[in-house]
Amino acid sequence: MTISEIKGESLQDVQALPDTRGIALDEVGVEGLRYPLLISDARGNKRETVATVAMSVSLADHVKGAHLSRFVDVLHTWRDRLSSQAVTLMADDLRQRMGCATARVALTFPYFLERLAPVTGIASFMDYTCTLTAAASDRGDEVVLAVKVPVTSVCPCSKAISDRGAHNQRGWVTIDARPHTPATGLWFDHLIDIAEAAGSSPVYALLKRPDERHVTMAGYDNPVFVEDMIRTVAGALNHDVRIAEYRIRVVNDESIHNHAAYAQIPWTLTATSRDSTDG
Amino acid sequence: MTISEIKGESLQDVQALPDTRGIALDEVGVEGLRYPLLISDARGNKRETVATVAMSVSLADHVKGAHLSRFVDVLHTWRDRLSSQAVTLMADDLRQRMGCATARVALTFPYFLERLAPVTGIASFMDYTCTLTAAASDRGDEVVLAVKVPVTSVCPCSKAISDRGAHNQRGWVTIDARPHTPATGLWFDHLIDIAEAAGSSPVYALLKRPDERHVTMAGYDNPVFVEDMIRTVAGALNHDVRIAEYRIRVVNDESIHNHAAYAQIPWTLTATSRDSTDG
Amino acid sequence: MTISEIKGESLQDVQALPDTRGIALDEVGVEGLRYPLLISDARGNKRETVATVAMSVSLADHVKGAHLSRFVDVLHTWRDRLSSQAVTLMADDLRQRMGCATARVALTFPYFLERLAPVTGIASFMDYTCTLTAAASDRGDEVVLAVKVPVTSVCPCSKAISDRGAHNQRGWVTIDARPHTPATGLWFDHLIDIAEAAGSSPVYALLKRPDERHVTMAGYDNPVFVEDMIRTVAGALNHDVRIAEYRIRVVNDESIHNHAAYAQIPWTLTATSRDSTDG
Amino acid sequence: MTISEIKGESLQDVQALPDTRGIALDEVGVEGLRYPLLISDARGNKRETVATVAMSVSLADHVKGAHLSRFVDVLHTWRDRLSSQAVTLMADDLRQRMGCATARVALTFPYFLERLAPVTGIASFMDYTCTLTAAASDRGDEVVLAVKVPVTSVCPCSKAISDRGAHNQRGWVTIDARPHTPATGLWFDHLIDIAEAAGSSPVYALLKRPDERHVTMAGYDNPVFVEDMIRTVAGALNHDVRIAEYRIRVVNDESIHNHAAYAQIPWTLTATSRDSTDG
């Protein structure tokens, strides 16, 4: 096989053909790609993890297609040095290699924190689903950190109207936060802490009986609706000077119903963002 | 276009080619097919529903492939007259049309029962996922009814060791039951009742405040582990003279943990089956 | 039990308590509720189907919670007379019963169309996932129709650079369309037709050999990227005078890769909407 | 807080209570637990990965419940030294700590292999879903290795009856293999190679145009049904002297249909097992 054949120089470049329909595309890309990554946290500690990756670029109206193999090329090059900063550089790299106006990268992965059981202090790992998203365009770069955090929630209504007991269930707090630019050291741990503090109690991988007693009573003493949880999270995010904008979604897998209860707040500027805008 | 072209008589029948590897196949078929069906219940009432369908046949070692399009042909023919009896006839029909030793059909669909809230009596529909399976072979026909039923479960340990409250969650009771042949009027409603009775309380689509108070306290007064639920179900099935064999699986979506608790019993003969075997 | 107890008049109304955090909520509701519904199509024909339902209301900043049981109450009342018009009336009803600024309803269900195989003309049902969404607020009502349609897509690049064959796969075309108000007879069938016409070929539940030959060659003669499919759909929607706004997403479950390729266009006004705005 | 309180000595041990229903349970345990693990491959190389874990024990008929927290305790202890051998020791450890007849552990995780594109040789990582299962009982230990491998498959019928092109799609080959005891160096890589060799072509994360041309034509020249793929895999496993027993399942996400085609072979002894049994 000749070098030319290996390079594919004789093969038609169909994607590079012109398109005459006059329709630009916001996003063209790949998704659902699982890849092993090394991600550095806010303190620079590297963690090996497995991410599900989506990458896309915008496509001008006169070009037929995007060269999707370059996405995986770029990912493979950057895979062992990713961080909040590096993922922005990777999006910039992608944008330049594709010669397009905008490039986006989203990495979703399980993130583990060692948690101590509240009474016995026994250690175990809790898993949180996190997403690190970066977009690069000629209007500048943008990063979003997202966390999906399980909590336990005790129903205030059920407790108030019953002589004993109260229904409770696993709930899910999802936060998307866009930090101010340049990045300000915001990392997933902080958002996870905010989410866990909003439930009736955190959820654990390992609880011994004294811990289970503690979690049961702490939850019963602190009943919350999805409406309460989302407002507590919004209050905390709203005054976080590192965050420019956020959105929140809280879901309860209701234990006495065959459906879920939920509350959500769309993308909202924080108080600090609004102040700076007013100023 | 000629009739011959429409019939495809000139097209090669690749599936009918010989295979020389000498390996017979237990199941070849289609799955994940959504289809609108009319299913009659034990009393003959027809219900329109949407099923996810799997159909398969065994394949002899000397034949290359099965003609999969005939599966959908057969399903389309039977789709408006299905019942516990008819699904067996459909499996027989499939077996004959495919000229094979064994044919299997599995229809999974949401099944709704009108339930009354326990205090106010307000009506709503609860959904249960049911599967009707039939197999036809020269050893005779066989039917299996399966139900997946949500319940609420209050943790006996959490209640016993805590001064107040008790963690609880949605649980799932899955029963597979093979009735004695010939079929004996066993239908999904009966299995659903057995499953719901094994939880701390049934789950509802619609509860007003007096109902929520009732469900909360009834559940708190009747705490059960997954081990308790599965044993209650096994006890009920074991003495049901209509059932020959069963298996059970119970899962709790633990409200204080990030994982589920489960218990399961593999296929087990009922007491009546064992007695008849002994006799 | 007294009437008062059944009505729950003595039970505290926790949701109605004041909230002092000053945070209004965009959406509070239920989701993941499966319910049997009767839906009328554009010609008034009723179909029984099973929907997965989400319903929500906005919540003012001074109220603690929404009474979620009323959602299911409203759904149960309307469940046997739903249509494009009726779902808007149901959202209005919900809004009034909840005393809130905005109410939303989203019904997702499998929708079946009888399709004839392209050569033999044999009939079978194809399933499409459709969503009917309505929102009611003091700014007026709004309806969105969404379809998710499977197609087959042959890769133009693979065909152009190979001496024989071309990789192809199942693709998914998702269209969300907001019709002009008042509603204009737009129904799912029309959007499904647009989506199917954009692939290399439609997908079928049942194909005999002459049909398979036809679909194979028709697809091979009409290769399309996700970029081509989305532009074809956008072109068709853009000039549809019944549609005010749309968004599109196309995904290919790539047969030679372990990930998907996708393209998407965010909410976009149609040419007729832009003309009327300009005017 | 006293040591006694931390140890929970005053708290009732509800699980240890007697049960009088006389029903032993095959499996009681936890599932759906995500945990970070270090797994050694056949050559002793350690890999950090994220597993979804299921662990269970059998429960005697006279005991009310299993102490589920001990499962996570055991997992946490073993999490950084897992391998084919160690997972058996972990199951033994679990069995002893729980004082039960049988203990089972199943670890499911994405497993990555660096693959070179077939013409350009460019490297990327392919992901395979693997499961390592161990069971310990007084009848001895048992290990099962399972892999789920994506392939591309070209339809032999479509190719034979069409003048040009052939429909093809992503397929999935799932193999469960029980090695002879004592363990024989069987590892996932070997099963993955067998699965990939059975398709029309392997699937890749990264293909340049010369590679895409190669994969397209290689696949077109090697069309296979699900029946062909499963027989090729069965033939390879049947003569593997390291394997005692296997089962196989192959699924095609049909590109011209709205459903999947599948074939499966239930647990089957290999030729070497049958020979040794005969002897």
Side-chain angles (χ1 to χ4, degrees):
Chain A
M1 194 166 288
T2 68
I3 293 292
S4 165
E5 281 170 337
I6 289 176
K7 287 195 173 171
E9 286 164 357
S10 62
L11 301 178
Q12 191 184 358
D13 186 351
V14 182
Q15 280 86 350
L17 292 175
D19 195 279
T20 59
R21 283 172 284 195
I23 298 174
L25 299 177
D26 201 55
E27 288 189 45
V28 176
V30 298
E31 62 180 15
L33 173 66
R34 287 203 295 183
Y35 227 73
L37 301 180
L38 274 176
I39 296 190
S40 302
D41 66 19
R43 281 177 234 95
N45 300 318
K46 283 192 175 187
R47 297 176 186 225
E48 198 169 328
T49 191
V50 174
T52 300
V53 180
M55 302 173 79
S56 70
V57 293
S58 58
L59 190 69
D61 60 1
H62 60 279
V63 183
K64 182 171 173 69
H67 292 90
L68 302 186
S69 69
R70 292 185 197 162
F71 290 110
V72 186
D73 243 355
V74 170
L75 178 66
H76 195 73
T77 305
W78 284 86
R79 73 168 202 93
D80 56 1
R81 46 185 167 133
L82 289 169
S83 66
S84 181
Q85 284 74 38
V87 76
T88 310
L89 298 175
M90 181 168 116
D92 275 322
D93 185 13
L94 179 62
R95 186 184 164 225
Q96 286 171 29
R97 285 199 53 186
M98 303 292 283
C100 61
T102 310
R104 290 182 184 83
V105 175
L107 314 173
T108 299
F109 48 91
Y111 184 77
F112 292 93
L113 293 175
E114 194 184 56
R115 297 300 201 192
L116 305 182
V119 176
T120 63
I122 296 181
S124 64
F125 287 97
M126 265 297 296
D127 68 311
Y128 308 93
T129 300
C130 293
T131 301
L132 182 56
T133 305
S137 75
D138 43 23
R139 299 181 310 276
D141 297 336
E142 192 180 280
V143 168
V144 172
L145 287 82
V147 297
K148 184 177 179 188
V149 177
V151 296
T152 190
S153 71
V154 176
C155 177
C157 173
S158 171
K159 178 183 175 183
I161 64 178
S162 305
D163 299 340
R164 53 196 179 278
H167 82 79
N168 51 77
Q169 55 270 316
R170 212 183 298 162
W172 300 93
V173 179
T174 303
I175 302 172
D176 287 62
R178 185 171 65 78
H180 287 290
T181 312
T184 47
L186 185 71
W187 196 238
F188 298 109
D189 305 48
H190 179 63
L191 300 175
I192 291 167
D193 287 345
I194 288 175
E196 283 193 335
S200 294
S201 164
V203 161
Y204 296 86
L206 178 50
L207 293 169
K208 291 294 180 184
R209 266 179 296 155
D211 306 308
E212 183 169 355
R213 168 182 157 87
H214 176 90
V215 167
T216 299
M217 297 196 301
Y220 188 77
D221 294 343
N222 182 31
V224 288
F225 288 132
V226 287
E227 294 94 325
D228 293 312
M229 289 191 269
I230 201 167
R231 280 167 163 155
T232 299
V233 172
L237 296 175
N238 198 29
H239 295 289
D240 193 309
V241 294
R242 293 171 295 184
I243 299 174
E245 204 179 9
Y246 63 85
R247 64 175 174 182
I248 320 169
R249 182 170 169 81
V250 178
V251 179
N252 262 354
D253 294 341
E254 295 283 293
S255 65
I256 60 169
H257 289 119
N258 60 338
H259 53 265
Y262 80 97
Q264 67 184 34
I265 293 175
W267 281 107
T268 302
L269 291 174
T270 56
T272 50
S273 294
R274 289 193 304 272
D275 290 350
S276 67
T277 307
D278 295 345
Chain B
M1 193 165 289
T2 66
I3 293 293
S4 165
E5 280 170 338
I6 289 177
K7 287 194 173 172
E9 287 165 355
S10 61
L11 301 177
Q12 190 184 358
D13 186 351
V14 182
Q15 280 86 350
L17 292 175
D19 196 278
T20 59
R21 284 172 284 194
I23 299 175
L25 298 177
D26 200 54
E27 288 189 42
V28 176
V30 298
E31 63 180 14
L33 173 66
R34 286 203 295 184
Y35 227 74
L37 300 181
L38 275 176
I39 295 189
S40 301
D41 65 19
R43 280 178 233 94
N45 299 317
K46 284 192 175 188
R47 297 176 185 226
E48 199 168 328
T49 191
V50 174
T52 301
V53 179
M55 301 171 80
S56 71
V57 292
S58 58
L59 191 68
D61 60 3
H62 60 278
V63 183
K64 182 172 174 68
H67 293 90
L68 302 185
S69 68
R70 291 185 198 163
F71 290 110
V72 187
D73 243 356
V74 169
L75 178 66
H76 195 72
T77 305
W78 285 87
R79 74 167 202 91
D80 55 1
R81 45 184 166 134
L82 289 170
S83 65
S84 180
Q85 284 74 38
V87 76
T88 310
L89 298 176
M90 181 170 116
D92 275 323
D93 186 11
L94 179 62
R95 186 184 163 224
Q96 286 172 29
R97 285 199 53 186
M98 302 293 282
C100 59
T102 310
R104 291 183 184 82
V105 175
L107 314 172
T108 299
F109 48 90
Y111 183 79
F112 292 92
L113 292 176
E114 194 184 56
R115 296 300 200 193
L116 305 182
V119 176
T120 63
I122 296 181
S124 64
F125 287 96
M126 266 297 296
D127 67 311
Y128 308 93
T129 299
C130 294
T131 300
L132 182 56
T133 305
S137 75
D138 43 24
R139 299 182 309 277
D141 296 335
E142 190 180 282
V143 168
V144 172
L145 287 82
V147 297
K148 184 178 177 187
V149 177
V151 296
T152 190
S153 70
V154 176
C155 178
C157 172
S158 171
K159 179 182 174 184
I161 64 178
S162 304
D163 299 340
R164 53 197 179 278
H167 82 80
N168 51 77
Q169 53 272 317
R170 212 184 297 163
W172 301 93
V173 178
T174 302
I175 302 172
D176 288 62
R178 183 170 67 78
H180 287 291
T181 311
T184 46
L186 185 71
W187 196 238
F188 298 109
D189 305 47
H190 179 63
L191 299 176
I192 292 167
D193 287 346
I194 288 175
E196 284 193 335
S200 294
S201 164
V203 162
Y204 295 86
L206 177 50
L207 293 170
K208 291 296 179 184
R209 266 179 296 155
D211 306 309
E212 183 169 353
R213 168 182 159 87
H214 175 90
V215 167
T216 299
M217 298 195 300
Y220 188 77
D221 294 344
N222 182 31
V224 287
F225 288 131
V226 288
E227 293 94 325
D228 293 312
M229 289 190 271
I230 202 168
R231 280 166 163 158
T232 300
V233 172
L237 297 175
N238 198 28
H239 296 289
D240 194 308
V241 294
R242 291 171 298 184
I243 299 174
E245 205 179 8
Y246 64 84
R247 64 175 175 183
I248 321 169
R249 182 171 169 80
V250 178
V251 179
N252 261 356
D253 294 341
E254 295 285 294
S255 66
I256 61 169
H257 289 120
N258 61 338
H259 53 264
Y262 80 98
Q264 66 185 34
I265 293 176
W267 282 107
T268 302
L269 290 175
T270 56
T272 48
S273 294
R274 290 194 303 272
D275 291 349
S276 66
T277 307
D278 295 346
Chain C
M1 194 166 285
T2 68
I3 293 293
S4 165
E5 280 170 337
I6 289 177
K7 288 195 172 172
E9 287 165 355
S10 62
L11 300 178
Q12 191 184 357
D13 186 351
V14 181
Q15 279 87 348
L17 292 175
D19 194 278
T20 59
R21 284 172 283 194
I23 298 174
L25 298 177
D26 200 56
E27 287 190 45
V28 176
V30 298
E31 63 180 13
L33 174 66
R34 287 203 296 183
Y35 226 74
L37 300 180
L38 274 176
I39 296 190
S40 302
D41 65 20
R43 283 177 232 94
N45 300 318
K46 283 192 175 187
R47 295 177 188 226
E48 198 169 329
T49 192
V50 173
T52 301
V53 180
M55 302 172 78
S56 70
V57 293
S58 59
L59 191 67
D61 62 1
H62 60 277
V63 183
K64 182 172 174 69
H67 293 89
L68 301 186
S69 69
R70 291 184 198 164
F71 290 109
V72 187
D73 243 355
V74 169
L75 178 67
H76 196 73
T77 305
W78 285 86
R79 75 168 201 92
D80 56 1
R81 46 184 166 135
L82 289 169
S83 66
S84 181
Q85 285 74 38
V87 75
T88 311
L89 299 175
M90 181 171 117
D92 276 322
D93 185 14
L94 179 62
R95 187 183 163 225
Q96 285 172 30
R97 285 198 53 187
M98 303 293 282
C100 60
T102 309
R104 288 183 187 82
V105 175
L107 314 173
T108 299
F109 47 91
Y111 183 78
F112 292 93
L113 293 176
E114 194 184 56
R115 296 299 200 193
L116 305 182
V119 176
T120 62
I122 296 181
S124 65
F125 287 97
M126 265 297 297
D127 68 312
Y128 308 93
T129 300
C130 294
T131 300
L132 182 55
T133 306
S137 75
D138 44 23
R139 299 181 310 278
D141 298 335
E142 191 181 279
V143 168
V144 172
L145 287 82
V147 297
K148 184 177 178 188
V149 177
V151 295
T152 190
S153 70
V154 176
C155 177
C157 173
S158 171
K159 178 183 175 184
I161 64 178
S162 304
D163 299 338
R164 53 197 180 277
H167 82 78
N168 51 77
Q169 54 271 318
R170 212 184 297 163
W172 300 93
V173 179
T174 302
I175 301 172
D176 288 63
R178 184 170 66 76
H180 288 290
T181 311
T184 47
L186 185 71
W187 197 238
F188 298 108
D189 305 48
H190 180 62
L191 299 175
I192 291 167
D193 286 346
I194 288 175
E196 283 193 336
S200 294
S201 164
V203 161
Y204 295 86
L206 177 50
L207 293 170
K208 291 295 180 182
R209 267 181 294 156
D211 306 309
E212 183 168 356
R213 169 181 157 87
H214 176 90
V215 167
T216 298
M217 297 195 300
Y220 188 76
D221 293 343
N222 182 31
V224 288
F225 288 133
V226 287
E227 294 94 325
D228 293 311
M229 289 190 271
I230 201 167
R231 280 167 164 157
T232 299
V233 172
L237 297 175
N238 198 29
H239 296 289
D240 193 309
V241 294
R242 292 170 297 185
I243 299 174
E245 204 179 7
Y246 64 86
R247 64 175 172 181
I248 320 170
R249 182 170 170 79
V250 178
V251 179
N252 261 355
D253 294 342
E254 295 284 292
S255 66
I256 61 169
H257 289 119
N258 60 338
H259 53 265
Y262 80 97
Q264 67 184 35
I265 293 176
W267 282 108
T268 302
L269 291 174
T270 56
T272 50
S273 294
R274 290 194 303 272
D275 291 349
S276 67
T277 308
D278 295 345
Chain D
M1 194 166 290
T2 66
I3 294 292
S4 164
E5 280 170 337
I6 288 177
K7 288 196 174 171
E9 286 164 355
S10 62
L11 301 177
Q12 191 184 356
D13 186 350
V14 182
Q15 279 88 348
L17 292 175
D19 195 277
T20 59
R21 283 172 283 195
I23 299 174
L25 298 177
D26 199 56
E27 289 190 42
V28 176
V30 298
E31 63 179 14
L33 172 67
R34 286 203 296 183
Y35 227 73
L37 300 181
L38 274 176
I39 296 190
S40 302
D41 65 20
R43 281 177 234 95
N45 298 318
K46 283 193 174 186
R47 296 177 186 224
E48 197 168 330
T49 192
V50 174
T52 301
V53 180
M55 301 172 79
S56 70
V57 293
S58 58
L59 192 67
D61 61 1
H62 60 277
V63 182
K64 182 172 173 70
H67 293 91
L68 302 185
S69 69
R70 291 184 197 165
F71 289 109
V72 187
D73 243 356
V74 169
L75 178 66
H76 195 74
T77 305
W78 284 87
R79 74 169 204 90
D80 56 2
R81 47 183 165 134
L82 288 169
S83 66
S84 180
Q85 284 73 39
V87 76
T88 310
L89 298 175
M90 181 170 117
D92 275 322
D93 185 14
L94 179 62
R95 185 182 164 226
Q96 286 171 31
R97 285 200 52 186
M98 303 293 282
C100 59
T102 310
R104 290 183 186 83
V105 175
L107 314 173
T108 299
F109 48 90
Y111 183 78
F112 292 92
L113 293 176
E114 194 184 55
R115 295 299 199 194
L116 306 182
V119 176
T120 63
I122 297 181
S124 65
F125 288 98
M126 265 297 297
D127 67 312
Y128 308 92
T129 299
C130 294
T131 300
L132 182 56
T133 306
S137 75
D138 43 24
R139 298 181 310 277
D141 296 335
E142 189 180 281
V143 169
V144 172
L145 287 83
V147 297
K148 184 178 177 188
V149 177
V151 295
T152 190
S153 70
V154 176
C155 177
C157 173
S158 171
K159 178 182 174 185
I161 64 178
S162 304
D163 300 338
R164 52 196 179 277
H167 82 79
N168 52 77
Q169 53 270 318
R170 211 183 298 162
W172 301 93
V173 178
T174 303
I175 301 172
D176 288 63
R178 183 170 66 77
H180 287 291
T181 311
T184 47
L186 185 72
W187 196 238
F188 299 108
D189 305 47
H190 179 64
L191 300 175
I192 291 167
D193 287 346
I194 288 176
E196 284 193 336
S200 295
S201 164
V203 161
Y204 296 86
L206 177 50
L207 293 170
K208 291 296 181 183
R209 266 180 295 155
D211 305 310
E212 183 169 355
R213 169 183 158 85
H214 176 90
V215 167
T216 299
M217 297 194 301
Y220 188 76
D221 293 343
N222 182 30
V224 288
F225 289 131
V226 288
E227 293 94 326
D228 293 312
M229 289 191 271
I230 201 167
R231 280 168 165 157
T232 300
V233 172
L237 297 175
N238 198 30
H239 295 289
D240 194 310
V241 295
R242 292 171 296 185
I243 299 174
E245 205 179 8
Y246 63 85
R247 64 175 173 182
I248 321 169
R249 182 171 168 80
V250 177
V251 179
N252 261 355
D253 294 342
E254 294 285 292
S255 65
I256 61 169
H257 289 120
N258 61 338
H259 53 264
Y262 80 97
Q264 67 184 35
I265 293 176
W267 282 108
T268 302
L269 290 175
T270 56
T272 48
S273 294
R274 289 195 303 272
D275 291 348
S276 67
T277 306
D278 294 346

